């Protein structure tokens, strides 16, 4: 493509280090689409004749047909998807193919193709997250009254409802949706027509190409346009944050599925067995979600480091933008789907959860709160009295409400029979009806709001 300036061809190592076709062939549909938008604009502006524009557009359709049928050929001499397509176009339609690259450079071409690809990846993430939110809100709605221990430091803290716990992940998913939507809106501008770096002397219409590629507008600065990979970083930041949430959810399922917890029975379809231990059912999908989150975060780090020291405008380092994004997108799609399936079809063992809440002194705070309310004891003192009651119950191996009134009154005489109802896990969760609290009344409202927001009602 640039033989005119060179006396010798590239060395074998140059060809190999330079070739991006092994991975950027994934952009072929975007490349054809952007080229068709470009050539239609060249024709409309009279920069190429209407006849040549039509010939080139037909030729591009033929190339696309070949790619769809046979895949994209990988010839390192042609470097990347852009040159591979242009070269095949020339084979098919002859020298008129050479007019396609008028008023264009691979720099704005790759920036456009990649933006289109990333925009699709954002849409895919949004669709996946929607399914995850539906799954979460559906299961949460089933378990508004199911009581489990809530943890801090992974130590039993206070009883919560399973619905409340699942809705916590709904909130995280909702923020992820807003991050992807925000990133998409910012990415949705067209760099096409920025040419190599400075714009072009040809009378192009960048608004027309932007519109035909469904971008909201053309970008405003040609130097920035060919150098900007913020859109990819925005995507990766949203993906990394989302993966981090999924990883935390995966971790909960892994812990809950362990025998000492026994809070869930994971779906067979998302578990594996052991080649040696016949009893095993391993939470491999959840573990891989946890593992993949590390790789997605690594992709973000990788591209940030690629970009951080680059002067304007294009440098070849930027060719390394695609592998991390492609990898992250593939992994994220899998992770969202795996966690959606897990939420949809896990069996929650609500009996085990409830038992764990009862045996873990989860209502100790309720005893302290009762002493504050009913006996007007300062909270710090009530905390101390309750601590003594827990110590006694623990030494006897019983729940708080299994201590006799005599035993409780020996710790503090102000405790009366009326304390017992306050010590049940039901009373505990029902009492936490502050806005956003775990009380079934609150969770029911949040579930209803979420269902409405998802258009389920
Ligand atoms: N394959 C290149 C990339 O992915 C295309 C842009 C090449 N531009 C250039 N000036 N060499 O970044």
């Amino acid at each position: 493509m640039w033989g005119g300036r060179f006396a010798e061809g590239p060395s074998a190592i140059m060809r190999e280090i330079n070739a991006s076709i092994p991975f950027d062939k994934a952009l072929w549909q975007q490349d054809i689409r952007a080229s068709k938008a470009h050539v239609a604009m060249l024709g409309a502006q009279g920069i190429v004749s209407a006849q040549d524009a039509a010939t080139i557009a037909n030729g591009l359709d033929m190339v696309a047909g070949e790619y769809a049928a046979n895949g994209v050929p990988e010839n390192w001499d042609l470097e990347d998807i852009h040159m591979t397509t242009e070269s095949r176009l020339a084979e098919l339609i002859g020298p008129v193919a050479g007019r396609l690259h008028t008023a264009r450079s691979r720099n704005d071409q790759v920036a456009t193709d990649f933006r289109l690809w990333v925009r699709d990846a954002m849409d895919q993430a949004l669709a996946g997250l929607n399914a995850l939110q539906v799954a979460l809100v559906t299961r949460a709605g089933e378990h508004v009254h199911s009581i489990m221990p809530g943890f801090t430091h992974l130590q039993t803290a206070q009883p919560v409802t399973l619905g409340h716990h699942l809705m916590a992940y709904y909130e995280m998913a909702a923020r992820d949706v807003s991050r992807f939507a925000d990133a998409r809106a910012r990415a949705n501008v067209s760099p096409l027509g920025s040419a190599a770096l400075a714009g072009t002397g040809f009378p192009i219409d960048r608004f027309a190409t932007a519109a035909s590629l469904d971008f909201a507008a053309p970008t405003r600065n040609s130097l920035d346009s060919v150098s900007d990979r913020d859109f990819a970083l925005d995507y990766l930041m949203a993906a990394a944050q989302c993966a981090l949430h999924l990883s935390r959810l995966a971790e909960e399922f892994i812990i809950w599925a362990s025998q000492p917890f026994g809070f869930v029975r994971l779906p067979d379809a998302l578990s594996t067995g052991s080649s040696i231990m016949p009893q095993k059912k391993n939470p491999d999908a959840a573990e891989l979600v946890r593992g993949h989150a590390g790789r997605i975060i690594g992709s973000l780090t990788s591209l940030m480091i690629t970009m951080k020291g680059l002067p304007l405008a294009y440098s070849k380092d930027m060719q390394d933008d695609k592998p991390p994004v492609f990898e992250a997108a593939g992994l994220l799609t899998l992770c969202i789907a795996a966690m959606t399936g897990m939420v949809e079809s896990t069996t929650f063992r609500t009996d085990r959860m409830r038992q764990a809440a009862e045996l873990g002194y989860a209502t100790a705070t309720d005893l302290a709160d009762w002493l504050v309310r009913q006996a007007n004891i300062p909270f710090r003192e009530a905390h101390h009295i309750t601590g003594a009651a827990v110590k006694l119950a623990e030494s006897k191996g019983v729940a708080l409400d299994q201590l006799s009134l005599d035993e409780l009154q020996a710790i503090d005489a102000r405790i009366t029979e009326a304390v017992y109802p306050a010590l049940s896990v039901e009373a505990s969760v029902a009492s936490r009806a502050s806005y956003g609290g775990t009380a079934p009344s609150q969770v029911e409202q949040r579930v209803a709001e979420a269902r409405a927001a998802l258009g389920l009602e």
Side-chain angles (χ1 to χ4, degrees), residues 16-228:
E16 184 167 357
I17 199 172
N18 205 32
S20 57
I21 187 68
F23 53 85
D24 68 18
K25 62 183 183 179
L27 295 175
W28 74 263
Q29 291 175 86
Q30 289 76 12
D31 197 62
I32 299 277
R33 186 177 172 200
S35 285
K36 286 184 74 178
H38 181 66
V39 79
M41 180 278 292
L42 292 177
Q45 295 295 105
I47 299 168
V48 304
S49 71
Q51 158 129 46
D52 285 351
T55 306
I56 292 170
N58 284 337
L60 287 167
D61 285 339
M62 287 159 65
V63 177
E66 291 182 0
Y67 289 169
N70 312 317
V72 179
E74 255 185 59
N75 176 354
W76 289 356
D77 286 323
L78 296 173
E79 269 193 54
D80 57 24
I81 184 60
H82 323 295
M83 308 244 276
T84 300
T85 299
E86 199 180 319
S87 138
R88 182 63 188 144
L89 184 68
E91 286 169 7
L92 291 171
I93 65 171
V96 64
R99 297 191 186 280
L100 169 61
H101 215 53
T102 314
R104 186 178 80 169
S105 152
R106 276 187 298 158
N107 296 348
D108 60 335
Q109 193 180 356
V110 70
T112 305
D113 295 358
F114 196 30
R115 238 177 232 267
L116 289 169
W117 197 95
V118 169
R119 194 175 66 179
D120 285 349
M122 290 167 171
D123 287 338
Q124 196 175 357
L126 286 165
L129 282 167
N130 185 267
L132 176 64
Q133 286 181 297
V134 170
L136 284 165
V137 82
T138 303
R139 300 308 305 274
E142 293 165 15
H143 290 287
V144 164
H145 294 279
S146 306
I147 293 173
M148 64 180 287
F151 299 95
T152 61
H153 313 263
L154 200 55
Q155 305 285 313
T156 299
Q158 294 174 349
V160 295
T161 56
L162 174 58
H164 195 50
H165 198 118
L166 293 172
M167 285 303 284
Y169 284 95
Y170 172 87
E171 294 295 336
M172 293 178 231
R175 291 195 295 277
D176 290 329
V177 164
S178 114
R179 257 182 289 275
F180 280 114
D182 180 53
R184 189 195 195 284
R186 209 168 18 251
N188 198 26
V189 281
S190 172
L192 192 58
S194 298
L197 74 167
T200 175
F202 291 99
I204 60 171
D205 182 352
R206 294 193 58 212
F207 288 85
T209 48
S212 81
L213 296 171
D214 294 321
F215 285 118
T219 54
R220 288 185 296 259
N221 181 299
S222 62
L223 285 169
D224 178 45
S225 306
V226 294
S227 315
D228 170 23

Side-chain angles (χ1 to χ4, degrees), residues 306-313 315 317-318:
T306 296
M307 295 307 296
K308 76 171 181 54
L310 295 184
L312 299 181
S315 298
D317 316 42
M318 292 168 71

Side-chain angles (χ1 to χ4, degrees), residues 301-364:
T301 313
S302 162
L303 184 53
M304 285 183 132
I305 293 171
T306 296
M307 295 307 296
K308 76 171 181 54
L310 295 184
L312 299 181
Y314 179 87
S315 298
K316 199 63 174 257
D317 316 42
M318 292 168 71
Q319 180 164 282
D320 282 341
D321 56 1
K322 287 162 226 64
V325 171
F326 292 165
E327 174 170 59
L331 294 174
L332 185 69
T333 303
L334 277 172
C335 289
I336 296 176
M339 292 319 296
T340 302
M342 214 160 307
V343 170
E344 279 168 350
S345 29
T346 285
T347 306
F348 293 108
R349 301 177 67 188
T350 50
D351 51 330
R352 294 271 310 181
M353 292 182 173
R354 195 197 153 96
Q355 198 180 27
E358 280 173 349
L359 291 180
Y361 306 105
T363 59

Side-chain angles (χ1 to χ4, degrees), residues 288-300:
L288 285 164
V289 169
R290 193 175 57 183
H292 288 352
R295 292 169 63 189
I296 293 171
I297 293 164
S299 303
L300 168 61

